[in-house]
Amino acid sequence: MASTSHPESPLDRPGDLIAALPAVLGFVPEKSIVVVTAADDEMGAILRADLADPRVPHLAEMAATAGAEAVIAVIVDDEGAGCPMCADEHRELAHELTVELARWGVELLAAHVVDVVAAGGTWVCADGCGASGRVEDPSASPVAAAAVLDGRRLYARRDELVEVVAVADPQRSAELAAMIEQAGPLDGDRAGALARSDIEHALACAEQLAAGTALRDEQTVRLARSLTDPRVRDTLYALAVGDRAGVAESLWADLSRRLPSPWRVEALVLLAFSAYARGDGPLAGISLDAALTCAPLHRMAGMLDQALQSGMRPEQIRELARTGYRLASQLGVRLPPRQAFGRRAG
């Protein structure tokens, strides 16, 4: 698995490449296989799977879907670099990935095994070529610096990122479920004025939460029910590109942690869209995983997940918000003005 030579590309510097993974993934990978796609000598989509269930054919298909010309694999195993008995397992995994990628016309340039993604971690090549080295400091990675400047939080473990959208109090969520069910479903033919009122209510709730005041139960119940109205939900997607996007995103995160299934699904997808639009792929991915677990056939969640997996850029996703502004105009709702995204946001 010889790597091509591109002196200016971090793809040829395993220590730097591995150090950049936490900033790209949003957390420090452990017991994982990470597939770094590349095209035109530039890093593309990053795919990760648990080492216990690597789903190699799926990884290969997703890499091809992302437009990869080649990939580099990083096997993160704390028993890896210094474990002779593990070498065969890692070599077999790299070989399986080579075969599956070849089915899609994608080349595996290199496969590295690293014991820990941290400064001073040790990496070796998976095929026994003899190459090895040290991992650079992830906190000093240019990719990490860019992530921090973009306002992204980096997590020590994937579990910490998952907690951002996990239900915080199952018993309390069950109580809310009973209240929502008692209120009943919305009338499918209800007037546009009611949809407009619900959108304005969501905007007010976001500002209230931002001011430090928790939502009351009746507000939460109304939000949960109103998000089942496509006009309300689709209009609120526009908030992801408005100048109060952070305030709105905090509301979706709060609802994701407090609402029960199935009502939390729409909050999760709104959170995913907002995170994706500002370039936070890790949070978008975790939110979509949770949404698709609740509702595997959710159309918007599936579309965003496919876009994320294929490496679609945030600026392309932001174009979907135009529909929200158009609906708001039709309903007579004034939304926050669109914000100007810098180059790094895309």
Side-chain angles (χ1 to χ4, degrees), residues 14 25 36 65 89 108 122 147 169 205 216 221 261 297 314 319:
L25 294 171
V36 180
T65 301
E89 297 177 10
L108 180 64
T122 302
D169 186 342
C205 286
R216 301 186 303 278
V221 169
S261 295
L297 300 180
E319 290 303 307

Side-chain angles (χ1 to χ4, degrees), residues 11 17-18 20-38 43-51 53-76 93 97 100-101 104 106-108 110 112 117 158 276 281-282 285 289 304-312:
L11 298 173
L17 179 67
I18 294 169
L21 295 181
V24 177
L25 294 171
F27 57 89
V28 179
E30 299 175 333
K31 292 290 185 182
S32 304
I33 177 170
V34 182
V35 173
V36 180
T37 69
M43 187 187 301
I46 311 295
L47 310 171
R48 190 208 70 90
D50 291 336
L51 203 54
D53 182 22
R55 300 178 296 165
V56 174
H58 177 70
L59 285 175
E61 180 179 359
M62 287 298 97
T65 301
E69 297 172 353
V71 306
I72 293 175
V74 177
I75 300 170
V76 186
L93 180 57
L97 183 59
E100 292 297 334
L101 286 169
W104 297 93
V106 179
E107 179 186 4
L108 180 64
H112 311 299
V117 182
R158 185 175 186 273
Y276 199 158
D289 284 347
L304 289 175
D305 186 59
Q306 182 65 31
L308 189 64
Q309 295 275 10
S310 64
M312 185 176 290

